[in-house]
């Protein structure tokens, strides 16, 4: 329907006034640090291996990863500051640290490789990196979701057993404060040591915690908190199998779910069930729809609203407006329009648009013609002075399709205002849909272009 298409077009460029609460995701950024080669305290064996393994997996699932091995306090602090800057304004962040950890006066610290052998609590606090300070920086940056994974030891400054990590006060790391939107996972509970191996014959290059953490971040359709609970359960069970107590500690304060890999969650048979996507607030979408037509003099606009929202917030007002516009049209010699049923907008076959505004299709650049994947819906809004985009991708084939995408962020004159993003993967299951939700990385981004490519594309 031409009228519906025009309404959707108006939504793209006028939703700022509506305050549409689209589910914002992301610039997906990860900072991964592994410290083995401590200069003045006990060295570790597998922290660097663990960090490198995590960095590789996060890159595979679309994270922009910065990884460091064996760095000192100054470099750690600079890395944290850069990480926080990248996830500011609604981004998604994962911080993974493998190395020594400690507690001083109920505050937790991560240990850089250049820390001197501790002589007092003041020495520790002055030379280590505060976990609380990291969390405060993230909270101030207004990141949408962050996961802090601390594969650090929980016990004494000197190692007690071969194959364990241990540094800090004997009472272990203190429970962290978890600001809204943050999840914190420790590799071991209070007064416990994080095992590097399950026995003398264990030649796995990763420690126990990391080898259980890795598969949890690559399974489609599992929320971050559910994945972390699974990690806690499997680590606890495997540690008990060798007579060791290690129960990862999870602290969570989030309003919704984050998925490392979106897609159908497996059921008991291991087969996919329904697709898991981040949802849109339906009331906000309705409000955006109404704001786009409330000053219209065209009966079709209000008929479309009533067809979609017969019992909506503005249904009574829409009926009065429809009656008034119909009366005006009748007096002018025109017959009242009957609203057809709303249809799904298929951007792969764009309909004609007026010359007064750009088309939705102009926002999409395909590197080769898509075979089975189409952009079936595209919405945009500004909130907190940041551009937020929601894209619906539909797979019309019965087989799973791999898609890669990135956004180009532009100003109102079409000039780029941000560095080129890395390609992000998206797996769209057969005959299903997936949502891409992103937030602009800078206030200067007032326009965008979505660039898509698929291994099954037909070359231009």
């Amino acid at each position: 329907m031409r009228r519906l298409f025009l309404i959707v077009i108006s939504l793209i460029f006028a939703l700022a006034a509506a305050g549409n609460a689209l589910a914002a995701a992301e610039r997906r950024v990860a900072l991964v640090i592994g410290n083995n080669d401590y200069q003045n305290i006990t060295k570790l064996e597998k922290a660097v291996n663990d960090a490198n393994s995590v960095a590789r997996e996060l890159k595979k699932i679309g994270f922009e990863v910065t990884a460091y091995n064996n760095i000192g306090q100054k470099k750690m602090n600079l890395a944290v500051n850069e990480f926080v800057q990248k996830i500011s304004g609604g981004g998604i962040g994962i911080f993974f640290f493998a190395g020594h950890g400690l507690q001083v006066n109920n505050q937790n610290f991560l240990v850089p490789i250049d820390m001197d052998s501790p002589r007092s609590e003041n020495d520790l606090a002055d030379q280590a990196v505060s976990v609380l300070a990291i969390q405060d920086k993230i909270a101030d940056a207004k990141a949408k979701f962050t996961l802090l994974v601390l594969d650090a030891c929980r016990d004494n400054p000197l190692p007690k057993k071969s194959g364990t990590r241990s540094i800090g006060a004997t009472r272990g790391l203190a429970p962290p404060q978890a600001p809204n939107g943050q999840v914190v996972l420790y590799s071991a509970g209070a007064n416990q040591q994080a095992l590097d191996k399950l026995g003398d014959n264990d030649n796995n290059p990763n420690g126990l915690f990391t080898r259980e953490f890795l598969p949890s971040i690559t399974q489609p359709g599992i929320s971050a908190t559910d994945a972390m609970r699974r990690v806690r359960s499997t680590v606890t069970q495997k540690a008990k199998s060798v007579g060791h107590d290690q129960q990862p500690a999870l602290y969570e304060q989030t309003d919704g779910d984050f998925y490392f890999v979106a897609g159908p969650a497996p059921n008991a048979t291991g087969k996919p069930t329904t697709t898991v996507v981040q949802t849109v607030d339906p009331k906000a979408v309705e409000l955006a729809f109404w704001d786009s037509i409330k000053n219209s003099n065209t009966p079709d606009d209000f008929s479309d609203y009533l067809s979609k929202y017969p019992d909506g917030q503005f249904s009574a007002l829409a009926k009065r407006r429809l009656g008034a516009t119909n009366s005006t049209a009748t007096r002018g010699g025109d017959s009242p329009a009957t609203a057809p049923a709303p249809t799904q907008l298929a951007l792969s076959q764009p309909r004609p648009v007026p010359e007064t505004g750009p088309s939705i299709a102009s926002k999409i650049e395909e590197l080769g013609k898509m075979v089975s994947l189409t952009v079936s819906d595209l919405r945009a809004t500004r909130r907190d002075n940041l551009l937020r985009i929601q894209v619906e991708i539909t797979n019309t084939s019965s087989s799973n399709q791999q898609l890669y995408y990135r956004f180009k962020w532009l100003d109102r004159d079409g000039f780029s205002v941000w560095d080129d993003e890395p390609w992000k993967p998206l797996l769209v299951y057969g005959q299903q849909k997936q949502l891409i939700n992103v937030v602009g990385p800078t206030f200067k981004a007032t326009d965008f272009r979505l660039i898509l490519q698929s291994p099954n594309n037909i070359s231009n």
Side-chain angles (χ1 to χ4, degrees):
M1 173 194 303
R2 179 181 176 87
R3 177 60 55 188
L4 179 60
F5 183 74
L6 295 177
I7 291 173
V8 176
I9 290 293
S10 68
L11 287 176
I12 291 180
F13 300 102
L15 282 179
N20 186 359
L22 294 176
E26 58 228 57
R27 187 176 183 186
R28 290 161 64 101
V29 180
L31 171 61
V32 181
I33 298 174
N35 283 346
N36 269 349
D37 299 337
Y38 287 93
Q39 299 169 4
N40 303 299
I41 57 177
T42 307
K43 295 181 184 293
L44 297 173
E45 296 180 1
K46 296 186 177 181
V48 168
N49 285 345
D50 290 346
N52 291 342
S53 296
V54 170
R56 283 194 299 269
E57 291 303 315
L58 290 175
K59 286 180 181 178
K60 289 179 183 178
I61 60 174
F63 276 82
E64 175 187 340
V65 179
T66 303
Y68 296 100
N69 293 331
N70 298 318
I71 59 175
Q73 184 191 37
K74 181 177 180 180
K75 186 81 173 194
M76 284 182 65
N77 283 322
L78 289 174
V80 168
N81 291 340
E82 181 182 4
F83 167 72
V84 169
Q85 183 178 18
K86 288 181 178 180
I87 62 173
S88 63
I92 300 293
I94 295 179
F95 174 66
F96 181 94
F97 174 82
H100 280 312
L102 53 92
Q103 177 201 150
V104 176
N105 295 328
N106 290 321
Q107 289 196 43
N108 300 319
F109 294 86
L110 308 179
V111 181
I113 63 166
D114 56 358
M115 191 184 81
D116 292 333
S117 182
R119 294 165 296 180
S120 70
E121 291 184 346
N122 289 333
D123 287 340
L124 297 176
D126 290 341
Q127 297 183 55
V129 176
S130 167
V131 174
L132 180 59
I134 295 173
Q135 291 184 277
D136 286 345
K137 290 177 181 179
I138 293 171
D140 290 342
K142 308 298 183 185
K144 180 184 178 182
F145 173 90
T146 49
L147 171 64
L148 282 72
V149 182
L150 308 181
D151 190 3
C153 1
R154 310 297 300 270
D155 209 0
N156 190 291
L158 299 176
K160 290 185 175 181
K161 294 181 181 179
S162 174
T164 65
R165 296 179 190 166
S166 179
I167 191 168
T170 55
R171 60 183 177 272
L173 294 180
Q177 299 178 12
N180 190 45
Q182 295 187 22
V183 176
V184 183
L185 180 66
Y186 290 150
S187 62
N191 300 317
Q192 295 177 351
Q193 295 170 314
L195 287 175
D196 268 347
K197 56 186 179 181
L198 292 172
D200 294 337
N201 296 324
D202 183 356
N203 297 317
N204 193 302
N206 296 125
L208 172 60
F209 174 82
T210 299
R211 70 182 76 167
E212 299 303 318
F213 176 76
L214 289 173
S216 72
I217 63 176
T218 57
Q219 187 171 5
I222 303 299
S223 71
T225 49
D226 286 343
M228 296 306 98
R229 291 188 182 102
R230 293 186 182 188
V231 173
R232 181 173 59 186
S233 176
T234 55
V235 169
T236 301
Q237 292 173 7
K238 292 188 176 183
K240 284 183 178 180
S241 71
V242 295
H244 184 80
D245 288 330
Q246 180 182 346
Q247 184 177 16
L250 177 64
Y251 305 93
E252 186 262 343
Q253 186 70 276
T254 55
D255 294 329
D257 289 330
F258 165 74
Y259 297 86
F260 295 104
V261 181
N267 56 24
T269 65
K271 297 181 180 180
T273 53
T274 56
T275 301
V276 180
V277 295
Q278 293 176 312
T279 59
V280 181
D281 182 352
K283 290 186 178 179
V285 175
E286 181 191 351
L287 177 60
F289 194 140
W290 176 256
D291 266 19
S292 71
I293 67 167
K294 63 183 181 182
N295 296 320
S296 174
N297 293 320
T298 304
D300 282 354
D301 291 344
F302 300 102
S303 295
D304 289 342
Y305 173 84
L306 290 170
S307 295
K308 189 171 182 63
Y309 303 105
D311 300 313
Q313 304 173 66
F314 308 100
S315 58
L317 181 57
K319 291 174 183 177
R320 290 197 295 272
R321 293 282 181 86
L322 179 60
T325 53
N326 277 339
S327 298
T328 301
T330 301
R331 288 194 299 271
D334 295 330
S335 299
T338 301
T343 60
Q344 177 65 50
L345 177 65
L347 300 186
S348 58
Q349 298 177 342
R351 303 182 183 185
V353 294
E355 296 182 355
T356 55
S359 68
I360 294 176
S362 70
K363 298 295 180 187
I364 301 169
E365 178 181 345
E366 295 182 4
L367 301 183
K369 183 180 179 181
M370 294 290 182
V371 177
S372 302
L373 297 174
T374 61
V375 179
S376 49
D377 194 18
L378 175 64
R379 300 165 188 260
T381 185
R382 289 187 70 84
R383 192 172 76 244
D384 300 329
N385 208 26
L386 288 171
L387 188 62
R388 300 168 189 270
I389 314 297
Q390 178 186 279
V391 186
E392 181 183 79
I393 306 293
T394 298
N395 181 1
T396 59
S397 73
S398 58
S399 60
N400 299 342
Q401 297 289 325
Q402 181 69 59
L403 176 70
Y404 295 90
Y405 71 93
R406 66 183 180 187
F407 283 81
K408 187 170 185 179
W409 301 103
L410 311 171
D411 62 16
R412 66 181 66 255
D413 297 317
F415 292 102
S416 178
V417 295
W418 197 255
D419 294 338
D420 286 346
E421 295 182 344
W423 289 102
K424 299 178 179 65
L426 181 69
L427 182 63
V428 187
Y429 289 82
Q431 301 294 333
Q432 296 193 38
K433 300 177 180 180
Q434 287 282 29
L435 288 183
I436 300 172
N437 293 289
V438 298
V439 59
T442 173
F443 297 147
K444 296 179 181 179
T446 58
D447 199 356
F448 68 95
R449 183 172 295 113
L450 171 61
I451 306 173
L452 303 170
Q453 65 172 334
S454 168
N456 295 326
N457 279 6
I458 299 174
S459 299
N460 288 326

